[in-house]
Amino acid sequence: MTDIATPAETGTAQPVRVTDTDADRALKAKHRAMWASGDYPTLASELIWSLGPILVDATGVHPGDRVLDVAAGSGNAAIPAALRGGAVVASDLAPELFEAGRRRATEAGVELEWREADAEALPFADDAFDVTLSCVGVMFAPHHRQAADELVRVTRSHGRIGLLSWTPEGFIGQMFKTMKPYAAPLPEGAQPAPLWGDEQHVRELLGDRVTDVTAERRTIGMDVLATPEAFRDYFKTHYGPTIAVYHRIADDPAQVEALDAALAELARQHGAGHPGTAFEWEYLLVTARVR
């Protein structure tokens, strides 16, 4: 299934974008509610805040650059970009996350614009930005091709795109694999988020519209939440996707018990709770320049 419905499928004279359909609007409403649940801003601050500056450094944000952070959450890339002197717009499908971001930006002494926006239908003009970023954000847009098209569209010629995504093989990618048997099936046409952590997939999405592509697998180390069970329980209360899966199986104690055990074991296999063993989460860092 493509991201554009044909006239025969829609009964209209012109193609209809996925984002224009009732089904997609309902899907995006579910996504917004999912990310607004729990406490993602606290998770981002406590576990992965350091990823934002890494992405900003990799894309070489300069003073005066017009910067868009797509699926910005509470701003762990947008705020470092503003600290570098960029004129930053932080966009996200879930504006409920912005309050924490605004507080953090005020504490950092920077100003930026916060804008509700669907990564698959960005409300910005063509060529509007010098740098377009996404730090473990755009990867969760369900229609990858459409999201990639938007990243390229809003970035000016010779502008930079920077993407940081969890890999399928890393801890977060494997967490999604572990949760899959208990989660709702992906809607028709949607693709799994961790595919954005596969270099070949991202290269195919961006295609020949970009040049100077770099891709590097890296890891971020975790030294908090000492036990596997602590990591599992933290995600159960803070992370929207995990909360959504547990909500779906809440009436089945056997499934809840099985998922509890599986997530704790996954954390254990990746080194959580083992003194002297690194607990690291792998991500893919991609940069490119629009032709």
Side-chain angles (χ1 to χ4, degrees):
M1 179 177 176
T2 65
D3 283 338
I4 302 295
T6 67
E9 292 169 331
T10 63
T12 64
Q14 297 295 328
V16 174
R17 290 169 61 88
V18 164
T19 49
D20 294 330
T21 67
D22 289 341
D24 190 68
R25 282 188 284 270
L27 174 61
K28 299 300 173 57
K30 289 181 180 179
H31 276 219
R32 173 176 172 172
M34 178 182 73
W35 288 108
S37 67
D39 191 357
Y40 184 76
T42 295
L43 182 151
S45 177
E46 293 181 343
L47 301 185
I48 62 170
W49 197 262
S50 63
L51 294 180
I54 290 171
L55 182 58
V56 169
D57 287 344
T59 50
V61 173
H62 303 301
D65 277 343
R66 299 164 297 165
V67 181
L68 175 64
D69 186 1
V70 179
S74 50
N76 68 318
I79 292 171
L83 286 168
R84 291 281 290 266
V88 181
V89 177
S91 69
D92 201 281
L93 185 68
E96 293 86 352
L97 305 177
F98 292 166
E99 181 179 354
R102 290 188 180 100
R103 288 198 302 268
R104 186 104 185 200
T106 298
E107 293 169 359
V110 294
E111 293 185 2
L112 53 155
E113 180 182 350
W114 300 87
R115 184 83 174 269
E116 180 178 350
D118 180 352
E120 297 178 4
L122 294 170
F124 307 110
D126 296 356
D127 310 316
F129 297 96
D130 301 301
V131 183
T132 302
L133 307 171
S134 191
C135 183
V136 295
V138 75
M139 66 180 293
F140 293 102
H143 305 105
H144 295 189
R145 173 69 63 186
Q146 196 158 309
D149 290 349
E150 286 294 271
L151 295 174
V152 174
R153 180 185 66 80
V154 301
T155 309
R156 68 167 175 81
S157 177
H158 305 299
R160 290 96 71 198
I161 293 174
L163 305 170
L164 194 154
S165 308
W166 303 120
T167 67
E169 299 82 8
F171 175 74
I172 299 298
Q174 289 298 299
M175 185 178 72
F176 276 92
K177 183 178 180 180
T178 300
M179 295 191 300
K180 183 178 178 180
Y182 308 90
L186 286 175
E188 185 180 3
Q191 293 179 283
L195 278 178
W196 282 87
D198 178 86
E199 178 182 345
Q200 186 59 34
H201 182 69
V202 178
R203 286 181 178 272
E204 290 173 357
L205 289 175
L206 298 175
D208 61 5
R209 299 173 296 179
V210 300
T211 186
D212 299 334
V213 179
T214 69
E216 181 181 359
R217 288 184 178 232
R218 300 184 183 182
T219 60
I220 177 174
M222 294 292 151
D223 57 2
V224 295
L225 302 173
T227 70
E229 292 76 16
F231 266 97
R232 176 201 63 207
D233 293 344
Y234 187 88
F235 274 83
K236 286 175 67 173
T237 56
H238 287 71
Y239 195 54
T242 307
I243 292 169
V245 172
Y246 273 99
H247 179 75
R248 183 172 186 266
I249 63 174
D251 294 332
D252 190 332
Q255 284 200 312
V256 171
E257 183 179 357
L259 182 56
D260 274 349
L263 289 177
E265 179 58 25
L266 175 69
R268 187 174 293 109
Q269 290 174 358
H270 279 257
H274 292 195
T277 300
F279 184 27
E280 296 184 330
W281 301 358
E282 186 181 61
Y283 61 89
L284 179 71
L285 178 64
V286 173
T287 63
R289 189 175 295 276
V290 176
R291 290 188 184 274

